[in-house]
Amino acid sequence: MFGKIRDSLRKTREALVERVSGIFSSSSEADDRTLESLEEALLAADVGVPTIQALLDHLPREARATGAGLSKALRERMMALWPPAPPAEGPPPRPWVHLLVGVNGTGKTTSIGKLAAQRTARGQKGLLAAGDTFRAAAVEQLQVWGERSGCEVIRQAAGADPAAVAFDAVQSAASRDLDFVLIDTAGRLQVKHNLMEELSKVHRVVSRALPGAPHQVTLVLDATTGQNGLSQARLFTEKVPLTDLILTKLDGTAKGGIALSVAAELHVPIRYVGVGEKVDDLVPFDPAEYVDGLLS
Ligand SMILES: Nc1nc2c(ncn2[C@@H]2O[C@H](COP(=O)(O)OP(=O)(O)O)[C@@H](O)[C@H]2O)c(=O)[nH]1
Ligand SMILES: [Mg+2]
């Protein structure tokens, strides 16, 4: 598992280093020119303007004051963006109900498949709820992941009410004393208002099936959509109480800097990152590996 985040940041890192060669080696001071290229490079990596300002304001002064190189000072600034890790919790409720939301194509269904496989590999048993009832293909895709991970898929006919599917799955898992339920949802943003209503309803109905549920509500965000993804995320945070985030497709993008913006501007922790399409390509997010992977 180790090193996957770093590997996935290769393009982002190379683009940064190419634009500001030298900065990540030993330079202890920087002239205006270097700072300008650093700013441009961070912008190209899709770190947004407010976050860049927070990272670079008075940075040379700090680097001088601490006697540290610019790269070291920058690394420290980046590390300070992340919220502290939450305290360890007691045993999770059964079943653990996990709702995944996000725009079409961001990787919800794939991430559910990966999460399901990881849980079954740990000996857990659970259900997948096919809450994207809009397209038959979406249900089929989840079915494939269900077979791969050894999880039953709860589904209804195309066009069924997603909240009803989620309700069935949670009730069934509770009565069978299973470990988890992963709920897939649709993401058609063309009908923004309807989507948000639909998600609120799923949330509400699930809490009726099992008090306290859903225990985890994850926004799935596609890293390749950069700052666009960030505005999507804002939309969701306003409507659904998110607990955390999965940042997918970090592999293959030079815009991996978006994670910094997410940390600095959304205040929702990134729990996992997607680094490929295969079943083990979902890894717990590690800020230190991320920052090191970006800078060196
Ligand atoms: N390279 C890469 N592709 C991914 C990742 N996560 C999902 N995908 C691909 O993105 C596409 C859309 O994923 P899907 O799960 O159907 O998105 P959904 O519409 O949100 O359910 C699929 O082709 C996935 O294989 C990732 O972390 N890396
Ligand atoms: Mg899907």
Side-chain angles (χ1 to χ4, degrees):
M1 204 142 85
F2 182 77
K4 280 201 169 188
I5 294 180
R6 186 188 155 74
D7 289 349
S8 72
L9 286 167
R10 189 177 53 81
K11 283 194 184 159
T12 309
R13 177 174 58 246
E14 283 173 1
L16 275 175
V17 172
E18 194 176 295
R19 278 172 191 256
V20 266
S21 59
I23 196 164
F24 302 124
S25 47
S26 58
S27 64
S28 57
E29 276 189 41
D31 52 22
D32 290 349
R33 178 78 199 86
T34 320
L35 273 185
E36 233 168 72
S37 8
L38 180 55
E39 196 174 326
E40 280 163 19
L42 290 172
L43 211 52
D46 247 319
V47 184
V49 173
T51 308
I52 294 178
Q53 269 165 3
L55 287 173
L56 299 189
D57 264 6
H58 311 301
L59 187 66
R61 198 194 301 160
E62 183 181 301
R64 269 195 300 274
T66 60
L70 203 62
S71 145
K72 182 157 181 279
L74 183 60
R75 185 188 185 285
E76 276 161 17
R77 288 266 176 107
M78 286 183 172
M79 283 306 293
L81 292 180
W82 270 282
E89 287 166 10
R94 286 171 73 89
W96 182 260
V97 179
H98 189 177
L99 178 65
L100 283 88
V101 303
V103 170
N104 260 351
T106 51
K108 292 179 295 299
T109 307
T110 308
S111 298
I112 285 180
K114 293 168 175 175
L115 288 169
Q118 291 180 8
R119 283 185 178 272
T120 43
R122 293 204 298 270
Q124 300 188 1
K125 286 196 163 57
L127 298 177
L128 312 183
D132 184 352
T133 58
F134 191 65
R135 296 171 306 133
V139 179
E140 295 311 321
Q141 186 193 359
L142 192 68
Q143 191 76 50
V144 171
W145 278 108
E147 277 154 27
R148 210 177 280 169
S149 59
C151 292
E152 189 185 326
V153 175
I154 302 299
R155 55 191 287 181
Q156 290 182 11
D161 181 1
V165 179
F167 185 88
D168 276 0
V170 172
Q171 240 188 5
S172 169
S175 69
R176 290 149 72 180
D177 193 30
L178 300 181
D179 299 287
F180 67 92
V181 182
L182 285 155
I183 304 173
D184 198 9
T185 58
R188 300 176 306 281
L189 206 55
Q190 296 88 312
V191 274
K192 215 179 280 178
H193 179 70
N194 292 355
L195 175 62
M196 295 307 166
E197 287 306 307
E198 182 175 301
L199 295 177
S200 310
K201 186 177 172 195
V202 170
H203 197 281
R204 205 165 53 237
V205 164
V206 160
S207 73
R208 226 172 277 149
L210 181 71
H215 308 98
Q216 191 173 5
V217 183
T218 300
L219 176 68
V220 180
L221 210 61
D222 177 342
T224 65
T225 59
Q227 290 293 312
N228 236 335
L230 203 68
S231 26
Q232 275 169 29
R234 285 211 182 84
L235 202 70
F236 279 90
T237 50
E238 283 164 19
K239 300 290 178 191
V240 214
L242 300 177
T243 56
D244 52 23
L245 225 130
I246 293 177
L247 193 62
T248 59
K249 310 186 198 178
L250 199 58
D251 56 304
T253 177
K255 297 184 176 298
I258 190 65
L260 292 168
S261 275
V262 167
E265 296 172 49
L266 283 184
H267 310 293
V268 181
I270 300 174
R271 191 75 65 205
Y272 286 98
V273 286
V275 295
E277 296 183 272
K278 289 199 287 295
V279 66
D280 357 302
D281 291 335
L282 186 75
V283 296
F285 182 67
D286 175 352
E289 187 190 344
Y290 173 83
V291 170
D292 286 339
L294 213 53
L295 296 182
S296 58

